[in-house]
Amino acid sequence: MESPRTALEVRAATDADWPGIWAVMEPVVRAGETYTWDPGTDEATLREKWMHAGGHGRTVVAVTHGRVVGTAELHPNYGGGAADVANAGFMVAADHAGRGVARALAAHVLDLARAYGYSAMVFNAVVASNVRAVRLWQSMGFAVVGTIPGAFRLPSGDRVGLHVMHRFL
Amino acid sequence: MESPRTALEVRAATDADWPGIWAVMEPVVRAGETYTWDPGTDEATLREKWMHAGGHGRTVVAVTHGRVVGTAELHPNYGGGAADVANAGFMVAADHAGRGVARALAAHVLDLARAYGYSAMVFNAVVASNVRAVRLWQSMGFAVVGTIPGAFRLPSGDRVGLHVMHRFL
């Protein structure tokens, strides 16, 4: 019997993966709990944001038994003198949370970032109440280098901080 | 005799101000010392970036004796649950540095941000070697809430940190 982790493949995304990626992404964005994006953002805008068409960005998917269960994207955090620091985004299907999908995606994306010559990776806005994400990144060598106090309003109305998390590659 | 500061007017930018703004902006961007933008970015792209055409952004100029000597822009730092935190950019003509232009722009932009209902302002990437800017923001109530270590390579090749600076409004 195959374990879910063994069956997981992480590979470059293609245009054909978009419907599967969107199925993962839409509920995450609509929930408005973990991304600093308008929860009402339309599919075309999000597709453009997530599906990097070459250049300095890359998009990957985690696939198990033919289904996209997670996705990630890698891009330069800023330009100019800061262009060798990467940023990345990650999303996992709710019914696959806690099965190592995010960790597998992160390991892949960190390898990609090293291969592209990035010297570090930073997340600018990790919602502090997203404890699962904060712990995952800490376990993968990221440190909270600062927190923007109360900068994120949850759908409940509660305000939480936004962590800046960083690691060298 | 009029002091330079008395003669300084800070007002909303119009399309007609662009050549004056560009004269301030071009050397700042080309120098690559203080902004996390590609120093080779073309004028049209920078104009689009800086000149907010309504919506949630605003662009202002500081004018003295008919000349644009500084400019600033205000926009939401992120979207969704973070949309009520502002971000802003500031540039001053080199021959007007140290004359209160940035401070006058900042005071104006902070008032604008309050008027638009923002609850805080954040700068994501203040180059640590830009001591004049760091001191100005600290004197205006901003605190360094974190530093991304070595995330900016100066034209000299030296690496410096990028400060995240924040204040509530």
Side-chain angles (χ1 to χ4, degrees):
Chain A
M1 199 178 107
E2 203 172 41
S3 81
R5 190 169 302 201
T6 309
L8 194 72
E9 180 198 11
V10 178
R11 59 160 172 78
T14 69
D15 283 345
D17 291 316
W18 176 251
I21 294 172
W22 179 238
V24 171
M25 183 181 284
E26 186 175 19
V28 173
V29 175
R30 300 288 176 249
E33 292 172 347
T34 53
Y35 271 75
T36 58
W37 299 346
D38 180 342
T41 307
D42 64 86
E43 180 177 345
T45 303
L46 289 166
R47 182 176 179 157
E48 169 119 7
K49 226 186 230 292
W50 199 262
M51 298 293 279
H52 299 298
H56 295 295
R58 290 295 180 276
T59 308
V60 301
V61 284
V63 177
T64 183
H65 302 297
R67 180 184 154 207
V68 174
V69 294
T71 179
E73 55 80 38
L74 172 72
H75 63 275
N77 190 39
Y78 298 120
D84 80 336
V85 177
N87 188 327
F90 299 85
M91 296 191 182
V92 174
D95 66 355
H96 275 67
R99 297 201 205 175
V101 178
R103 186 174 296 275
L105 283 165
H108 186 97
V109 166
L110 285 166
D111 283 346
L112 263 186
R114 284 185 199 98
Y116 289 130
Y118 286 110
S119 68
M121 188 177 288
V122 69
F123 306 133
N124 300 305
V126 181
V127 178
S129 54
N130 190 0
V131 175
R132 177 173 275 158
V134 175
R135 282 194 193 138
L136 174 66
W137 303 137
Q138 285 173 329
S139 80
M140 298 196 75
F142 286 81
V144 174
V145 296
T147 302
I148 309 175
F152 192 82
R153 188 151 41 187
L154 294 165
S156 65
D158 290 345
R159 283 189 171 278
V160 292
L162 289 174
H163 293 317
V164 180
M165 301 192 72
H166 169 272
R167 68 159 287 176
F168 290 109
L169 296 178
Chain B
M1 199 179 106
E2 203 170 40
S3 81
R5 190 169 304 201
T6 309
L8 194 72
E9 180 197 12
V10 178
R11 60 159 173 80
T14 69
D15 283 346
D17 291 317
W18 176 252
I21 293 172
W22 180 239
V24 171
M25 182 181 285
E26 187 175 18
V28 173
V29 175
R30 300 291 174 249
E33 292 171 344
T34 54
Y35 271 76
T36 56
W37 299 345
D38 181 342
T41 307
D42 64 86
E43 180 178 346
T45 302
L46 290 166
R47 182 175 179 158
E48 170 119 6
K49 225 187 231 293
W50 199 262
M51 297 294 279
H52 300 298
H56 295 294
R58 291 293 180 276
T59 308
V60 301
V61 285
V63 177
T64 185
H65 302 298
R67 182 185 154 206
V68 173
V69 294
T71 180
E73 57 79 39
L74 172 71
H75 64 273
N77 190 40
Y78 299 120
D84 80 333
V85 177
N87 188 327
F90 298 85
M91 296 191 180
V92 174
D95 66 355
H96 276 68
R99 297 200 204 177
V101 177
R103 185 175 295 274
L105 283 165
H108 185 97
V109 166
L110 285 166
D111 284 346
L112 262 185
R114 283 186 200 98
Y116 289 129
Y118 286 111
S119 68
M121 187 177 287
V122 70
F123 306 132
N124 300 307
V126 181
V127 178
S129 54
N130 189 1
V131 176
R132 177 174 276 159
V134 175
R135 283 193 191 139
L136 173 65
W137 304 137
Q138 286 175 328
S139 80
M140 298 194 77
F142 286 81
V144 174
V145 296
T147 303
I148 309 174
F152 193 84
R153 187 151 43 187
L154 293 165
S156 65
D158 290 344
R159 283 189 171 275
V160 292
L162 288 174
H163 292 318
V164 180
M165 300 191 74
H166 169 272
R167 69 158 286 176
F168 290 110
L169 296 178

